[in-house]
Amino acid sequence: MDVVRDRTSAKPWLIALALTAFALQTDDFVIVGVLPSIARDLKVSEAAAGQLVSVFSVMCAVIGPPAAVITASWSRRHVLIGGLLLFCAAGFAVPLATSYPVLMALRIVAALAAAITLPTVFAVVAAHSPPERQGRHLATVMTGLTGAVVIGVPLGTWTGAAFGWQATFVLGGLLGLAALVCVHVAVPRTPSPHAAGLADRLSPLTRPAVLGVLLAAVVAVLGNLMFQTYLASFLHDVAGVTPAMLGGLLAFTGAAGLAGARLSGGLVDRFGPARAFLLAVVVFAAAMLGLALCWSLRPAYLPLIVLLLLVWSAAAWAVPPPVQARILALAGPDAGPQALALSSSAVYLGSSLGAGLGGWLLSTHGSGALPLTAAFSALASLALFAATERRTRWRGRRGRPAHGPRPPRSAGNRVGRT
């Protein structure tokens, strides 16, 4: 197993992995800013152009887990380099795309690269981190994902406006190339993971505890994206926020998200993932309930809305580090890439379901239903997470391992088993 414990060498490889996450996530989100230009140039509707976003998310959700199983015995450094090479190629080829089907094919290739690379990023972080700093290191990589919203998307949108929408994807390729160079230079060369059989690779992922945490993650992300996707509509209804004002608010909330992810990583290391998850979800639900109350009293006081948005963003980005840390602990280090790939799929699945449910709520009940339903969803995810923790502790008291390989079913331990 490739484990490096040298703290003095942590910073360069950690920065390289955070930059990798930043490049991949920017490429996923940035297309939203250039959709009208794509639709106009390729002579398709904006709805059809929007499918370029959906395809990326769906491909990442579907391809990630089997790709992690297939590459489980490969060198993780080689997986990172190969995935980034494929990602760069897909971005640099976009200026050659003269039709919608060709662009769609290139987006599928980029999604394939992201589905392979992003779970490996988190697996490398887990393998190279001292146990007492794993949460903070995972949170550092999460700042790369948050930074994509705060920096990458505005930068890509500006690039597309200045040089054409094709340049937006070339920018993504350049970010990927920078990440590739950093990974090549900074990520240590380590032995390939143990080549376990297919059944051994998959067995940790069938455990109820792992699946329970993943389901809690899906529900938590569903609630967040339900609100985030239609944030502009809610803010317009509650406080008359204009599109020009929205850009500045998104920058502030993105910065709060960076801080929330960093704080969450420290809480994971100090108090454990369960307590960190509890705090993040309770704060998230409180912020949503506060926004729901503001909607009922609209027009609301804008500074209060801004304060609640900052709390919401910090809490929302504080959720992933404890989820990832708990999944790694439950699945065990040998199944880390596969478990983290499922974690990424859970995020994409929650995003898709949240956007769909949010659209239905907006059209049938108005924007005021969004924060209230998001708060309920957050509390439901907390209940699922807590139920999984109780079941895991109960199994531990009965002498069964909470994670890792199950004991052999000898004649002695089969007797009296229910």
Side-chain angles (χ1 to χ4, degrees):
M1 183 175 59
D2 47 340
V3 179
V4 175
R5 302 296 188 198
D6 183 8
R7 290 190 187 186
T8 61
S9 63
K11 189 174 181 180
W13 63 260
L14 201 56
I15 292 174
L17 296 175
L19 178 58
T20 301
F22 173 78
L24 297 173
Q25 195 78 343
T26 296
D27 191 68
D28 183 8
F29 288 163
V30 76
I31 191 172
V32 175
V34 292
L35 277 181
S37 299
I38 293 174
R40 183 176 60 253
D41 286 2
L42 298 183
K43 297 179 174 59
V44 297
S45 67
E46 286 196 29
Q51 295 306 307
L52 297 168
V53 181
S54 301
V55 164
F56 194 102
S57 296
V58 170
M59 290 293 293
C60 286
V62 172
I63 292 175
V69 171
I70 293 170
T71 62
S73 60
W74 300 6
S75 164
R76 290 172 184 168
R77 186 173 184 273
H78 291 165
V79 172
L80 289 175
I81 292 174
L84 284 170
L85 282 172
L86 186 62
F87 174 79
C88 293
F92 291 142
V94 166
L96 304 177
T98 57
S99 66
Y100 178 77
V102 173
L103 182 59
M104 177 66 78
L106 290 174
R107 295 307 294 160
I108 291 174
V109 172
L112 172 63
I116 293 171
T117 307
L118 191 56
T120 306
V121 165
F122 287 109
V124 171
V125 173
H128 287 201
S129 299
E132 70 276 8
R133 297 186 65 85
Q134 187 180 84
R136 276 167 282 191
H137 284 180
L138 287 169
T140 296
V141 177
M142 286 300 303
T143 62
L145 301 181
T146 316
V149 179
V150 181
I151 302 171
V153 172
L155 178 61
T157 302
W158 176 85
T159 301
F163 304 104
W165 61 266
Q166 295 91 341
T168 297
F169 295 98
V170 173
L171 174 65
L174 290 172
L175 292 173
L177 184 60
L180 174 62
V181 172
C182 291
V183 166
H184 179 73
V185 171
V187 174
R189 297 179 183 273
T190 53
S192 299
H194 175 67
L198 180 61
D200 292 333
R201 298 178 200 172
L202 291 175
S203 62
L205 310 183
T206 63
R207 294 175 191 152
V210 174
L211 297 179
V213 174
L214 289 172
L215 180 58
V218 169
V219 176
V221 172
L222 183 153
N224 182 48
L225 266 293
M226 179 194 311
F227 176 74
Q228 181 177 323
T229 303
Y230 302 99
L231 179 61
S233 297
F234 175 81
L235 292 178
H236 178 268
D237 293 343
V238 77
V241 173
T242 64
M245 298 166 61
L246 182 62
L249 286 177
L250 290 177
F252 280 117
T253 57
L258 288 169
R262 293 293 298 165
L263 176 62
S264 177
L267 292 174
V268 168
D269 292 333
R270 186 171 181 180
F271 300 110
R275 291 183 180 180
F277 185 83
L278 168 65
L279 179 61
V281 170
V282 168
V283 172
F284 176 92
M288 289 294 102
L289 291 173
L291 289 168
L293 180 61
C294 288
W295 188 88
S296 66
L297 301 174
R298 64 192 185 282
Y301 185 51
L302 185 57
L304 176 59
I305 295 293
V306 172
L307 177 61
L308 290 171
L309 288 176
L310 294 177
V311 174
W312 154 68
S313 182
W317 283 98
V319 168
V323 168
Q324 292 163 345
R326 191 63 184 129
I327 286 174
L328 282 168
L330 290 169
D334 291 337
Q338 300 94 290
L340 289 168
L342 280 178
S343 178
S344 296
S345 294
V347 171
Y348 285 115
L349 177 60
S351 300
S352 301
L353 293 175
L357 180 58
W360 176 79
L361 285 172
L362 185 66
S363 62
T364 57
H365 296 85
S367 61
L370 297 174
L372 194 60
T373 310
F376 174 80
S377 181
L379 295 176
S381 76
L382 181 59
L384 289 168
F385 195 99
T388 300
E389 290 295 293
R390 285 195 298 270
R391 188 177 189 278
T392 302
R393 287 195 296 269
W394 177 78
R395 287 176 62 88
R397 285 196 296 268
R398 292 193 62 187
R400 299 181 185 179
H403 58 81
R406 295 189 179 189
R409 297 186 62 185
S410 61
N413 62 30
R414 281 198 298 265
V415 176
R417 186 167 180 149
T418 56

